[in-house]
Amino acid sequence: MPKKATGVALSFIIFILFSANIFSQTRTGVPETVLRHDNLLNSQINSNFLVPKETNGSFATTVYTFSDITVFSYFDNTVVSVYDANGILKDTKTLAVDKYQTFNFGSGVYKIVGNKTYTVLVGDAFSLGVNGYFAVDEAGRALSTKLNTYMTKNSYGTEDFIVFAYNDNTGFTVKDLTTGSVLAAGTLNAGQHYSFASSNSVPYTKVLQVTGTKPISALSYADQDYYIPSTNGYFVGTSFYGYSAHLGWSGGWTNSITITSYSDNNAITVKNSTTGATISTFTLQKGQVHYDGITSPTFWQITSSGPISAANIPFAPEFTSNYSYMTRAIDETGKGFGKLFYVPTIGSRIDIFSFDNSNSITVTELGEYTQYPYANQSVKYQTTLDEGKNYSFYSPSGHYVYKIVSTGNISVLQSNGGAGADFMPLAYSLDYPDLGISASDIAYNKADTDINAGDLVTVSVTVHNYGSVAASNVNCVAYDGDPDAGGNAPIIGSGTISSIAVNGTNVFSFTYRVPSSPEYHYIVVKVDPANAITESNESNNKAQRSIKPNIELQPPLAVSITAPSSLLLQSGNLTPNPFTVHLDIFNTGTVAATNVTVTLELFNGLTTSGSLTRTISSISANTTSTVDFSINANKN
């Protein structure tokens, strides 16, 4: 009888030693850091981002642009078609995973249809460059573990690309999506950020991929025309981390932190998150707007007692109608789709897109923002739109606030002057659930530092539904190792969650007998591994957590390891064999790391023909060095 295919676990240790020159002085002594690693999974940074199995479908949204339409893919064989406002097909392209396609059909309204989920950036991010936006994932969320985006060109020299973290111990990587080069990597705690400008390494005109072990956000700052995501993942909430600056304009135009309240008696505090100094404190009523002017690079934090939206949009006193910008407006749900919008505007074009048939829409001009409680309200427009249709109007010069209500779901885009860019809300996300987990959702019933071989541990996994539709019969499976990295990762637990409400969570649990050498094992959890549920975003359906923490490599050096998680033993042969262990070692510090030594220690059955120790003379600040080991495995 033929032998059954089995998985062969791989174990090794990597030691990394380095010294750093600081202010031209050499450190005394050589700090030693040990990275213990098994299953060849990245122990600090989840850069080995694996594509889940995806469902074909019809995913459509409607946008307005005055220049580019750029579609980013998240799956192989993503077929994207673009139609004009008359329903005429303009073009169709097929994209591989993590690629992009820019269409240029001129100003107008377009419908985009894909067989798999995607994201779309409109405006002039590629053709002009003076703009700003937070990236979104393929479900339209700005907080995600994977974001494909673009950083525009150098127009004033004061641009920035920034990664924000929302949970402690969040590992992140930023890669050039075209070359695969690691541009930045590290670990952030909640409220912290990584700024490329601080290291004079802004990745201008690059398509980027940002990944995190826990949800992160990514801001391309090249002007003020964007809303800021809340810590809850939506664009309305009670806690925000943001950035405003002053984009080199000789006229002295001011960036504006613009806050709109979606509740009454809303107590709000704005602080400089770098210094801790209070920028402002105030109370708003529902529909009321406040701004704080910013004229220098400022990282800030907002907290509020009730729901608000926060934006860096032109709204300071010097702006009335003379500022070119584009941004999606935000509704009371914070998703960019909804039935109630308060929209602060200067002189602008306002586009309304309907996602339901027979959608009755009313636009009320509440008045200048300083005239609250809006004694002179007037209804400006009433119309009915079907799904996929849009309506446009122009707000006058000034600082007006509009209230837009509808009987069905709509999105709203504001723009002026034919310049600016933003990621658009994705209409298809209204039709599907979005199941998601991250490393922080995998919990043990005892401290992992106390876990030892032979212990019976209860593992609880919290599964989220970020979508607009409830999910039912959600199958969850846990593995010892990564089942998608090749080889055979055994199943160690499974369960079915009967239902998860919209914006809700539910938990499945299992018991696990800890194997020997637990510091070399990872639990990998997959939600809906058979892909029985169609979702708006399937890239967040997998997470991993170590059984017992290793002594990990810490900044200023961060490491990303790419390799198979195991080998396949079938008919007496191992596949792949030999295999490659690839290291990207990134210096997150501000000075060069010198005399970096990488030592590989192999366990039973693993050998290499080359040296087990590699020396890297120097890794400059904010750059990457790579090391490859070719490993042979003994099938016995």
Side-chain angles (χ1 to χ4, degrees):
M1 295 180 65
K3 292 183 178 180
K4 181 180 179 181
T6 58
V8 180
L10 302 176
S11 298
F12 58 86
I13 299 177
I14 295 172
F15 299 85
I16 297 183
L17 311 180
F18 74 96
S19 65
N21 291 332
I22 301 177
F23 304 118
S24 300
Q25 299 294 321
T26 304
R27 284 185 179 179
T28 57
V30 181
E32 176 174 316
T33 307
V34 181
L35 170 65
R36 300 179 181 272
H37 202 75
D38 186 50
N39 288 337
L40 307 193
L41 294 171
N42 186 349
S43 65
Q44 182 179 353
I45 304 161
N46 187 20
S47 64
N48 199 13
F49 205 97
L50 296 161
V51 178
K53 180 181 177 183
E54 72 282 354
T55 297
N56 288 326
S58 181
F59 302 95
T61 197
T62 304
V63 303
Y64 164 76
T65 188
F66 37 72
S67 182
D68 308 337
I69 300 173
T70 301
V71 176
F72 295 87
S73 68
Y74 283 77
F75 302 104
D76 269 328
N77 300 312
T78 298
V79 181
V80 177
S81 298
V82 181
Y83 299 82
D84 67 14
N86 297 315
I88 298 173
L89 177 64
K90 303 294 291 183
D91 200 0
T92 297
K93 297 292 184 182
T94 300
L95 303 180
V97 60
D98 297 330
K99 301 298 181 182
Y100 73 98
Q101 176 67 45
T102 296
F103 303 91
N104 297 101
F105 304 125
S107 176
V109 175
Y110 298 91
K111 185 173 184 177
I112 302 167
V113 181
N115 68 326
K116 298 170 185 178
T117 56
Y118 54 85
T119 60
V120 57
L121 175 65
V122 302
D124 56 19
F126 283 77
S127 58
L128 187 57
V130 182
N131 44 58
Y133 43 83
F134 274 88
V136 299
D137 66 15
E138 69 268 40
R141 287 172 53 84
L143 271 62
S144 186
T145 53
K146 180 182 179 182
L147 297 164
N148 292 335
T149 187
Y150 179 73
M151 180 61 205
T152 59
K153 69 180 183 180
N154 185 341
S155 298
Y156 290 101
T158 52
E159 295 83 1
D160 202 353
F161 188 81
I162 305 165
V163 178
F164 293 89
Y166 301 85
N167 298 277
D168 287 343
N169 195 30
T170 297
F172 76 93
T173 57
V174 181
K175 289 186 176 182
D176 183 323
L177 203 55
T178 302
T179 66
S181 300
V182 176
L183 304 179
T187 302
L188 299 171
N189 288 327
Q192 293 182 335
H193 62 267
Y194 181 89
S195 164
F196 277 81
S198 64
S199 58
N200 297 314
S201 59
V202 177
Y204 291 114
T205 65
K206 292 185 183 298
V207 182
L208 304 170
Q209 181 173 91
V210 185
T211 59
T213 57
K214 301 173 185 178
I216 42 81
S217 67
L219 170 62
S220 298
Y221 176 80
D223 199 11
Q224 56 167 336
D225 55 356
Y226 52 88
Y227 277 75
I228 287 86
S230 170
T231 56
N232 65 15
Y234 302 110
F235 288 88
V236 166
T238 58
S239 178
F240 299 79
Y241 301 111
Y243 176 77
S244 301
H246 180 235
L247 196 71
W249 185 256
S250 59
W253 284 355
T254 304
N255 273 211
S256 172
I257 304 175
T258 306
I259 299 168
T260 304
S261 178
Y262 277 93
S263 65
D264 286 329
N265 302 315
N266 204 341
I268 301 163
T269 300
V270 183
K271 289 186 175 182
N272 182 313
S273 59
T274 303
T275 66
T278 297
I279 296 174
S280 63
T281 58
F282 48 92
T283 299
L284 297 180
Q285 306 304 315
K286 189 172 184 178
Q288 192 173 4
V289 176
H290 170 92
Y291 90 92
D292 287 308
I294 300 293
T295 57
S296 62
T298 303
F299 289 91
W300 45 260
Q301 179 181 8
I302 299 176
T303 55
S304 61
S305 59
I308 61 171
S309 68
N312 189 46
I313 58 175
F315 201 70
E318 61 261 44
F319 305 124
T320 55
S321 62
N322 58 345
Y323 202 98
S324 299
Y325 76 106
M326 170 184 276
T327 185
R328 58 182 181 269
I330 298 302
D331 72 303
E332 65 177 340
T333 70
K335 298 179 180 179
F337 300 102
K339 302 174 183 179
L340 171 62
F341 291 75
Y342 289 109
V343 185
T345 72
I346 59 172
S348 306
R349 168 177 170 146
I350 311 296
D351 284 271
I352 301 171
F353 302 97
S354 176
F355 303 108
D356 291 301
N357 287 323
S358 303
N359 199 346
S360 179
I361 299 165
T362 300
V363 178
T364 302
E365 183 184 287
L366 299 179
E368 287 270 2
Y369 84 103
T370 56
Q371 297 174 347
Y372 192 87
Y374 305 131
N376 299 313
Q377 301 181 30
S378 61
V379 175
K380 293 296 184 181
Y381 308 96
Q382 285 184 307
T383 188
T384 300
L385 298 177
D386 286 331
E387 185 273 332
K389 301 300 181 180
N390 81 298
Y391 178 79
S392 300
F393 69 95
Y394 288 86
S395 62
S397 176
H399 302 84
Y400 285 85
V401 181
Y402 284 83
K403 180 181 180 181
I404 304 176
V405 296
S406 57
T407 55
N409 285 304
I410 60 172
S411 69
V412 177
L413 176 69
Q414 55 192 110
S415 62
N416 184 52
D422 208 347
F423 278 89
M424 289 297 97
L426 302 170
Y428 62 73
S429 67
L430 293 167
D431 301 324
Y432 302 104
D434 174 17
L435 303 171
I437 55 172
S438 65
S440 59
D441 295 313
I442 303 173
Y444 306 145
N445 68 330
K446 62 188 301 184
D448 47 8
T449 53
D450 297 331
I451 293 175
N452 296 300
D455 289 351
L456 191 62
V457 175
T458 299
V459 182
S460 299
V461 181
T462 300
V463 182
H464 302 257
N465 180 9
Y466 299 115
S468 299
V469 177
S472 58
N473 299 319
V474 180
N475 185 32
C476 306
V477 181
Y479 307 83
D480 185 349
D482 192 336
D484 301 317
N488 181 24
I491 295 175
I492 58 175
S494 62
T496 299
I497 297 174
S498 59
S499 64
I500 307 178
V502 174
N503 295 324
T505 62
N506 213 328
V507 177
F508 92 94
S509 301
F510 62 94
T511 56
Y512 174 57
R513 182 70 67 180
V514 177
S516 60
S517 301
E519 64 270 25
Y520 302 129
H521 289 262
Y522 276 76
I523 290 179
V524 177
V525 178
K526 296 184 72 174
V527 175
D528 188 33
N531 209 49
I533 301 171
T534 301
E535 302 178 53
S536 59
N537 175 11
E538 294 174 351
S539 290
N540 57 352
N541 285 27
K542 186 166 106 177
Q544 66 184 46
R545 180 180 171 181
S546 61
I547 302 298
K548 189 178 180 70
N550 297 328
I551 305 172
E552 296 182 330
L553 184 66
Q554 298 296 324
L557 294 183
V559 66
S560 170
I561 300 176
T562 304
S565 68
S566 58
L567 305 182
L568 181 65
L569 176 62
Q570 192 169 27
S571 300
N573 296 313
L574 285 172
T575 305
N577 197 24
F579 60 91
T580 298
V581 177
H582 174 82
L583 283 74
D584 290 296
I585 305 170
F586 188 86
N587 181 1
T588 65
T590 58
V591 297
T594 59
N595 301 321
V596 179
T597 301
V598 180
T599 300
L600 177 70
E601 179 180 325
L602 296 175
F603 292 105
N604 293 339
L606 300 178
T607 60
T608 180
S609 57
S611 173
L612 290 174
T613 299
R614 307 286 179 83
T615 298
I616 304 169
S617 60
S618 178
I619 306 177
S620 299
N622 291 290
T623 59
T624 303
S625 185
T626 63
V627 174
D628 288 295
F629 292 96
S630 179
I631 311 294
N632 287 278
N634 186 326
K635 66 183 179 182
N636 296 319

